[in-house]
Amino acid sequence: MLAGTVQADNHGMKKDIVDTAAGAGQFETLVAAVEAADLVETLKGEGPFTVFAPTDEAFAALPEGTVESLLEPENQEQLQAILTYHVVPGKIMAEDAMAADSATTVQGQDITITTMDGSVMINDATVVQADIEASNGVIHVIDGVLMPE
């Protein structure tokens, strides 16, 4: 009886940002990086968060060996800085992002937001899918990995 109640309670609820990304199938590298950076619990937290999520293809476009190097335990701080540079506190939907010209990331530096020909750019990356809602925020899919200065 109890299991049915738990199942019913979870039915229809949105997944958090980590589970949403993990279930999408195009963020395996990002999810592995979040795990390696010990940020899973943070991104499963209350939020809300806005995550600019690079696809596996975006990570694959980095210079050879970059991802493997970042996943090494000794590079955890650098990986955390890169990943938190993809996260903005609060839930920023595409319409709001298009009205802004920058946002301050969890990492502390600003990202630049520009709109050109109906496309939204975050620094040099293009938003290819916007407004994927999660229980604790929103994900915008981008075609590049953002690197803090």
Side-chain angles (χ1 to χ4, degrees):
M1 183 70 160
L2 184 61
T5 306
V6 170
Q7 191 175 11
D9 286 348
N10 287 333
H11 186 72
M13 285 183 62
K14 290 184 197 152
K15 295 177 180 175
D16 62 44
I17 286 174
V18 175
D19 291 339
T20 300
Q26 61 180 347
F27 304 116
E28 290 178 21
T29 307
L30 177 61
V31 171
V34 166
E35 290 170 354
D38 200 21
L39 292 172
V40 171
E41 289 307 309
T42 302
L43 290 175
K44 282 181 165 283
E46 196 173 309
F49 303 107
T50 298
V51 176
F52 296 99
T55 61
D56 290 336
E57 289 174 1
F59 278 103
L62 291 173
E64 191 173 333
T66 301
V67 172
E68 294 78 8
S69 173
L70 288 170
L71 294 177
E72 296 289 331
E74 61 268 20
N75 296 323
Q76 187 180 48
E77 282 184 29
Q78 183 184 6
L79 182 60
Q80 286 174 341
I82 291 168
L83 293 175
T84 56
Y85 188 63
H86 289 78
V87 181
V88 175
K91 185 176 181 179
I92 304 168
M93 302 304 282
E95 189 175 324
D96 300 320
M98 290 172 75
D101 57 6
S102 69
T104 303
T105 67
V106 170
Q107 182 262 355
Q109 293 181 18
D110 287 354
I111 50 174
T112 303
I113 304 169
T114 52
T115 307
M116 238 181 345
D117 302 327
S119 293
V120 177
M121 302 282 295
I122 308 301
N123 293 355
D124 295 327
T126 302
V127 175
V128 292
Q129 187 178 355
D131 295 344
I132 300 170
E133 292 193 61
S135 62
N136 62 344
V138 62
I139 298 170
H140 302 293
V141 183
I142 57 175
D143 66 358
V145 178
L146 308 175
M147 292 291 185
E149 291 179 22

